[in-house]
Amino acid sequence: MIPYGRQSISEADISAVIEVLKSDYLTQGPAVERFEDAVKEYVGSQHAVAFSSCTAALHAAAWASGLGPGDIVYTSPLTFIASANAARFVGATPGLIDVSPQTFNIDLTAIPSDASAIIPVHFAGLPVDLSLPDWGSNRPVIIEDAAHALGAQTPDGPVGNCKYSDMTCFSFHPVKPITTGEGGMVTTNDSDLAERLKRFRSHGIVRKSSGGGWFYEINELGYHYRMTDIQAALGSSQIQRIDDFIASRNNQALRYRELLKGLEGLQLPPEAPAGFTHGYHLFVIRVEDRRGLYDFMISCGIGVQVHYVPVHHHPISNDLRPSEKGWPHADSLYEQILSIPIHPALGEEELETVCLTVARFLEEQ
Ligand SMILES: *Cc1c(COP(=O)(O)O)cnc(C)c1O
């Protein structure tokens, strides 16, 4: 099976992990801070706080923003459920803003006025242009879900520099741009938010040596959302390869565009506008008979996937902020989308096989 996404692990990555295994600290040691420093340097933010997953990172970011019951937090219908659950985790109400069929990202001109916060998702690695809205004095809290977008660039710098947002959350699951096995990170330029994120990650603990060397105090509910040093060492090694990974994903996207161009009944995914670099976490094609193509590709040993079953299709979404118009663009995209393999370990021959298989299916239609 050719997977739609997978990690790329080098000998240097393996050595970095082995080194930590032989060291004094498997967790709560120096490797986590080193990885945080590497991420904040790469994206150009003031702070970076590591978590056990992006889901934990989103929970922490929602909490650190002070969101809670009564707040409405809007995200995209075309995302993994964790983007919407971030609101639920803190007792806030999730809402959805439909995507634009031009970008598959939320339409920033359609943010309802009751938004306490928005969680824009950089779908497939294509950055949402957060410079566009003129919020005036009414800017909601902005938490970027950049699970797909480490390494993607905007005219104002890398995704994660938080130029137009409060916090940005990354995922290091093996199919994501870099991996730590499981893991996440929040970047921010606000030192108060950074402190809150760190407390939340570790049970709400505040150390107070005035009470004795051992003494600490808990004032708020926190969780155990820490990343281990083993994971962080892998992350520090992986992030040195991020620009190569993004270049390789962009080359593959280019090859797909060359080889799939002109196939009848097939639409290619949105391209990055001038000044942006696409992260190409996913390469999402559109066809009329998506179900047929999915089954055919799987039967040919090609691991395709659908990103995503829209948030509002899940039974848990009964608690969503209702929308009169619904989310028709997300619904119609969902009928047609299919993610075909793209990842640094994908070879040219495999990529050609994917294209030939898609073409064969469309010809037999
Ligand atoms: C993968 C993903 C997450 C969750 O990341 P984990 O690290 O698995 O918790 C959140 N949002 C989006 C858009 C994702 O793709």
Side-chain angles (χ1 to χ4, degrees):
M1 183 73 88
I2 302 174
Y4 84 85
R6 70 156 285 164
Q7 70 278 10
S8 160
I9 300 295
S10 67
E11 286 305 319
D13 293 338
I14 293 169
S15 304
V17 171
I18 290 174
E19 206 174 300
V20 163
L21 288 173
K22 292 177 176 169
S23 77
D24 292 333
Y25 294 98
L26 301 186
T27 191
Q28 297 182 278
V32 173
E33 204 172 315
R34 278 202 293 267
F35 182 37
E36 292 171 338
D37 289 345
V39 171
K40 79 182 190 207
E41 230 161 82
Y42 180 80
V43 304
S45 65
Q46 298 290 315
H47 309 276
V49 183
F51 283 87
S52 50
S53 70
C54 182
T55 304
L58 285 161
H59 182 183
W63 179 83
S65 310
L67 295 168
D71 289 314
I72 302 168
V73 181
Y74 287 94
T75 189
S76 170
L78 203 61
T79 186
F80 185 58
I81 195 69
S83 317
N85 281 349
R88 294 189 178 97
F89 292 148
V90 295
T93 301
L96 302 176
I97 301 163
D98 205 0
V99 294
S100 148
Q102 272 75 49
T103 60
F104 299 10
N105 280 327
I106 56 166
D107 180 358
L108 288 175
T109 63
I111 312 281
S113 56
D114 62 1
S116 302
I118 60 170
I119 303 184
V121 180
H122 305 292
F123 182 84
L126 179 63
V128 178
D129 190 355
L130 292 169
S131 75
L132 285 179
D134 179 10
W135 299 109
S137 57
N138 240 353
R139 169 155 130 23
V141 169
I142 302 179
I143 300 168
E144 299 175 59
D145 182 339
H148 299 181
L150 183 67
Q153 309 283 331
T154 77
D156 293 305
V159 169
N161 67 6
C162 302
K163 174 115 195 259
Y164 300 103
S165 70
D166 299 284
M167 288 170 275
T168 303
C169 300
F170 294 101
S171 171
F172 309 122
H173 179 277
V175 298
K176 303 289 164 77
I178 65 168
T179 190
T180 61
E182 299 281 5
M185 186 85 69
V186 182
T187 59
T188 182
N189 296 322
D190 181 321
S191 51
D192 184 49
L193 285 176
E195 282 311 310
R196 289 171 64 77
L197 291 165
K198 283 182 194 164
R199 280 210 303 280
F200 191 74
R201 164 176 81 176
S202 225
H203 312 280
I205 287 172
V206 179
R207 301 213 165 268
K208 286 201 170 162
S209 53
S210 55
W214 68 88
F215 190 73
Y216 61 84
E217 219 168 53
I218 316 281
N219 304 295
E220 304 150 297
L221 182 64
Y223 290 76
H224 174 182
Y225 276 164
R226 292 189 301 266
M227 175 181 279
T228 68
D229 280 50
I230 306 168
Q231 294 167 309
L234 179 54
S236 291
S237 181
Q238 284 257 305
I239 199 168
Q240 295 180 41
R241 305 169 63 204
I242 182 68
D243 288 334
D244 290 342
F245 287 161
I246 296 297
S248 145
R249 287 173 179 275
N250 273 273
N251 282 332
Q252 288 168 8
L254 203 64
R255 283 298 284 150
Y256 272 137
R257 290 185 190 281
E258 288 167 0
L259 296 173
L260 296 173
K261 198 172 66 185
L263 282 185
E264 199 164 336
L266 179 110
Q267 281 177 269
L268 293 167
E271 290 183 75
F276 289 79
T277 302
H278 203 310
Y280 280 116
H281 165 59
L282 301 172
F283 195 85
V284 180
I285 60 172
R286 291 165 67 182
V287 293
E288 207 56 48
D289 182 12
R290 191 271 315 280
R291 178 134 205 180
L293 181 59
Y294 175 92
D295 290 341
F296 184 68
M297 299 295 279
I298 296 288
S299 75
C300 294
I302 297 171
V304 288
Q305 191 49 272
V306 174
H307 297 98
Y308 293 89
V309 176
V311 168
H312 55 285
H313 292 202
H314 293 293
I316 193 181
S317 295
N318 287 338
D319 65 346
L320 279 182
R321 174 105 179 112
S323 154
E324 247 169 68
K325 283 178 276 175
W327 305 278
H329 294 309
D331 288 334
S332 57
L333 281 175
Y334 174 59
E335 294 299 315
Q336 300 188 334
I337 49 178
L338 192 68
S339 305
I340 59 176
I342 190 165
H343 56 86
L346 184 74
E348 167 70 16
E349 244 175 74
E350 290 177 311
L351 185 147
E352 286 172 15
T353 303
V354 173
C355 294
L356 287 171
T357 314
V358 172
R360 186 142 60 93
F361 176 80
L362 290 172
E363 274 156 25
E364 281 167 15
Q365 285 294 285

